[in-house]
Amino acid sequence: MSATDLDLTRPAASRAAVMWRRFRRNRAAVLGLVIFAAVALAALLAGVITPGDPLRLAGQPLTPPLTVAASPFGTDQLGRDILAGILHGARISLLIGVVATVISIAIGILIGAVAGYFGGWIDDVLMRITEAFQTIPSFVLLLTLVAIFGSSLTSIVIGIGVVSWTAPARMVRAEFMTLRQREFVDAARNLGVGNASIIFREILPNALPPVIVFASVVMATSILMESALAFLGLGDANFASWGNMIGQGRAVLREAAFCTVIPGVAILLTVLSFSLMGEGLNDALNPRQKK
Amino acid sequence: MPSILVYLLRRILQAVPVILLIMVGSFLLIQLAPGDAVDALVGDMGGADAAFVERMRQEYGLDQSVLVQLWRYLVKLAQFDFGWSYVYEQPVATVLMSRLWVTMLLMVGALSAAFVIGVALGTLAARRAYSLTDNVISTLGLIFYAMPSFLLALLMILVFSVKLGWLPVSGIKDIGAFHTGWRLWVDIARHLVMPVAALSLIYMAFYMRLMRTSVLEVMDLDFVRTAKAKGAGGRRLMFHHVMRNALMPVITLLGLQISTVLGGSVVIETIFALPGVGQLAYTSVIKRDLNTLMGIIFLASIIVLVVNIVTDMIYAWLDPRIELQ
């Protein structure tokens, strides 16, 4: 309590500090941040802790965990080190999560902003397109895109982005529809500010908070989609991927369940960290919203 | 009620441009794909001479302009003619129809299980908000939400099939048993237990969390206080006043998620070797059977649109404040 009282006497704290304080109050969100930091660290240090190609032969096939010092998580049926797969797989998962989320949020902002700002027939057309994308099951569309454009890392990332922009677009549109009627927008327009400038400089910053919170959901689903693709054997075979490890582990499920369980726990924790952080972000960015 | 019919008609008319966009979009996707149907066919035959390829192109109308091809494609799709599956050597529509029932059983089973259990647990958690029960339920919800369905499926196979030997690992029925009548249905149900559970868990987690927040919100509203003041308590208050209102957002979400559930069935049907539309999508990707994939997209879209319209009707029926307009 006394700490908060002290804060009140201080000159206005910076916005980031205020947001961090609100975020920190949510203990689950802090746990999420810790898990996420661990995953990010694993991704960064993958080359240091387990140097070399994670897909190479590293020891006897199907070494159980905690038996050989060189492979603490054991090895799979092809003798690949599971720890190396987990660490290098963290890179792929995070990379795909971040890039696909950026792509989907960017498309969502563009479509939602234009539809919400201009309204009328532009809104009608863009919303029908959004509905069409929402109607097609996104995973089936993703499979189709992979069937057509191949399963390189690039086409998977773009594919995931292309199938997940509809929800952010609807959010941005709703925000724009209320914000465009506000006085500060009229004021900007009367000063002769152009449409593009009003959209991106005046309205967008005010419309962003819910979208940023939602980005954590998009990140989680992107990672899940990539791992499902890789599990089905449709991922990029040149990179270690958690989903692919589980898919391969399936063949030895009976005798070596650890090949499936260890990468499974990695996916679970990573996705969990994003949902936990999302709630904290919500507290930090939308403090007035009731829980 | 004529107003319901008018509303229904209007919703169907609204769905038309969406369907048209999906049809045009899938045509464009096929155009983007390298090679065309004749290339695929010729590739399958192991090569053919140029004159034959030319004649085939004419026969399939592939020598026409793109717009003519688009028009022909749309007319065919509107008649539920999705073309020929080169993998199954049958019309795509026939292949789809023979597999639809499996996916429907899986989806209806998963969504009903998710809805009933999710709503029950969510209500329970809200009634005992911030207690140990609530914490356990909410934590489980978070974990289920983050659990990939294929991981859950494999873990269940490990426990219930490999270790305990209770449930069959794959297929929709025992091939050699030739069950009939109710025995056949019991057999099918046994084969569906694990797929349904694996597919439903994440949605259960969604509905649980949403129901919890929704019940807490509704319990704060004035009319609940009035009902309490007038002596309604316990079960009657919960079922008649609170739950009925708290269900609304859950039903909205349920309608919106049909499309994701269909997507999720691809992974689940592939793992459990269920001969449904989802597994068909997977094999079609592996074999690059684009006609079949487009058929699946079209069929899935129709299902999603129909379910959305039905959910809207249920919604309006549950909440008399909503005017059907």
Side-chain angles (χ1 to χ4, degrees), chain A residues 30-54:
Chain A
V30 175
L31 177 67
L33 187 65
V34 170
I35 302 174
F36 171 70
V39 178
L41 209 62
L44 281 175
L45 297 180
V48 179
I49 303 173
T50 52
D53 184 359

Side-chain angles (χ1 to χ4, degrees), chain A residues 85-128:
Chain A
I86 295 291
L87 297 180
H88 288 266
R91 286 187 174 177
I92 294 304
S93 283
L94 289 188
L95 180 78
I96 287 184
V98 170
V99 181
T101 304
V102 169
I103 295 175
S104 80
I105 299 281
I107 304 177
I109 285 179
L110 199 65
I111 300 224
V114 171
Y117 181 76
F118 291 108
W121 68 268
I122 300 180
D123 181 39
D124 271 340
V125 170
L126 290 178
M127 277 304 107
R128 290 299 90 73

Side-chain angles (χ1 to χ4, degrees), chain A residues 125 128-129 131-132 134-141 143-150 217 220-221 224 227-228 231-232 234 243 246 250 253-254 257 260-261 264-265 267-268 271-272 275-276 279 290-291, chain B residues 14 17-18 21-22 29-30 32-34 142-143 145-148 150-151 154-155 157-158 162 202 209 213 217 220 259 262-263 266-267 270-271 281-282 285-286 288 290 293-294 296-297 300-301 304-305:
Chain A
V125 170
R128 290 299 90 73
I129 295 177
E131 275 168 35
Q134 266 183 323
T135 305
I136 303 173
S138 42
F139 194 66
V140 177
L141 183 56
L143 285 179
T144 312
L145 293 176
V146 166
I148 293 176
F149 299 106
V217 178
T221 44
L224 283 175
S227 65
F231 172 78
L232 291 174
L234 298 170
I246 298 179
R250 189 182 162 195
L253 187 64
R254 196 181 291 260
T260 303
V261 173
V265 170
I267 298 178
L268 187 86
V271 174
L272 185 66
S275 9
L276 293 177
E279 297 198 353
K290 225 176 71 176
K291 267 197 98 175
Chain B
Q14 274 174 358
V18 175
L21 271 172
I22 291 173
L29 269 179
I30 294 182
L32 279 174
L142 272 173
I143 293 175
Y145 171 74
M147 171 97 80
F150 52 87
L151 176 66
L154 292 185
L155 294 180
I157 289 179
L158 188 64
V162 176
I202 185 167
R209 292 184 68 183
T213 356
E217 241 163 53
D220 251 8
S259 142
L262 270 167
V266 175
V267 176
T270 308
I271 295 178
Y282 170 72
V285 173
I286 298 281
R288 316 261 144 162
L290 283 185
L293 271 172
M294 294 308 156
I296 292 172
I297 286 187
S301 308
V304 171
L305 286 171

Side-chain angles (χ1 to χ4, degrees), chain B residues 44-312:
Chain B
D44 260 7
M45 293 177 353
D49 64 278
F52 178 75
V53 170
E54 208 44 53
R55 217 179 59 227
M56 292 276 285
R57 287 235 153 78
Q58 278 174 17
E59 212 163 285
Y60 281 96
L62 293 172
D63 55 340
Q64 306 280 331
S65 77
V66 174
L67 279 179
V68 173
Q69 286 190 48
L70 172 64
W71 173 248
R72 287 190 179 164
Y73 183 76
L74 294 185
V75 170
K76 276 183 157 184
L77 271 194
Q79 297 163 335
F80 283 83
D81 175 359
F82 307 121
W84 186 260
S85 164
Y86 304 104
V87 175
Y88 292 90
E89 313 246 307
Q90 273 175 18
V92 171
T94 317
V95 183
L96 283 179
M97 286 310 146
S98 67
R99 286 166 165 261
L100 189 57
W101 67 279
V102 176
T103 304
M104 284 309 198
L105 274 183
L106 178 65
M107 263 179 55
V108 171
L111 278 179
S112 345
F115 183 77
V116 172
I117 301 175
V119 163
L121 287 181
T123 311
L124 183 69
R127 285 187 74 173
R128 310 213 175 128
Y130 308 109
S131 71
L132 180 68
T133 322
D134 177 26
N135 285 337
V136 170
I137 292 179
S138 298
T139 311
L140 278 181
L142 272 173
I143 293 175
F144 290 160
Y145 171 74
M147 171 97 80
S149 62
F150 52 87
L151 176 66
L152 186 69
L154 292 185
L155 294 180
M156 283 199 298
I157 289 179
L158 188 64
V159 174
F160 296 109
S161 301
V162 176
K163 295 263 193 291
L164 298 171
W166 289 352
L167 291 167
V169 188
S170 66
I172 186 74
K173 53 191 171 195
D174 278 335
I175 302 285
F178 300 111
H179 291 302
T180 48
W182 65 272
R183 277 173 188 283
L184 176 66
W185 285 105
V186 170
D187 189 37
I188 290 178
R190 267 169 48 83
H191 280 82
L192 277 175
V193 171
M194 287 199 292
V196 162
L199 185 59
S200 70
L201 214 59
I202 185 167
Y203 301 101
M204 197 188 90
F206 272 129
Y207 304 149
M208 209 163 79
R209 292 184 68 183
L210 191 59
M211 190 66 187
R212 180 182 177 277
T213 356
S214 182
V215 166
L216 283 178
E217 241 163 53
V218 174
M219 285 206 294
D220 251 8
L221 294 179
D222 287 339
F223 78 91
V224 176
R225 198 170 311 125
T226 312
K228 267 188 202 159
K230 287 166 89 176
R235 272 156 199 270
R236 186 178 156 76
L237 179 77
M238 210 58 208
F239 286 114
H240 201 257
H241 296 276
V242 176
M243 275 181 79
R244 187 180 166 133
N245 287 284
L247 272 178
M248 309 302 282
V250 183
I251 290 171
T252 314
L253 188 67
L254 189 81
L256 288 175
Q257 278 178 335
I258 291 295
S259 142
T260 353
V261 180
L262 270 167
S265 70
V266 175
V267 176
I268 295 299
E269 285 180 13
T270 308
I271 295 178
F272 291 100
L274 293 177
V277 178
Q279 191 204 36
L280 184 67
Y282 170 72
T283 44
S284 306
V285 173
I286 298 281
K287 307 225 156 137
R288 316 261 144 162
D289 186 350
L290 283 185
N291 278 356
T292 306
L293 271 172
M294 294 308 156
I296 292 172
I297 286 187
F298 189 74
L299 181 71
S301 308
I302 299 272
I303 294 174
V304 171
L305 286 171
V306 169
V307 172
N308 282 347
I309 294 177
V310 173
T311 339
D312 275 7

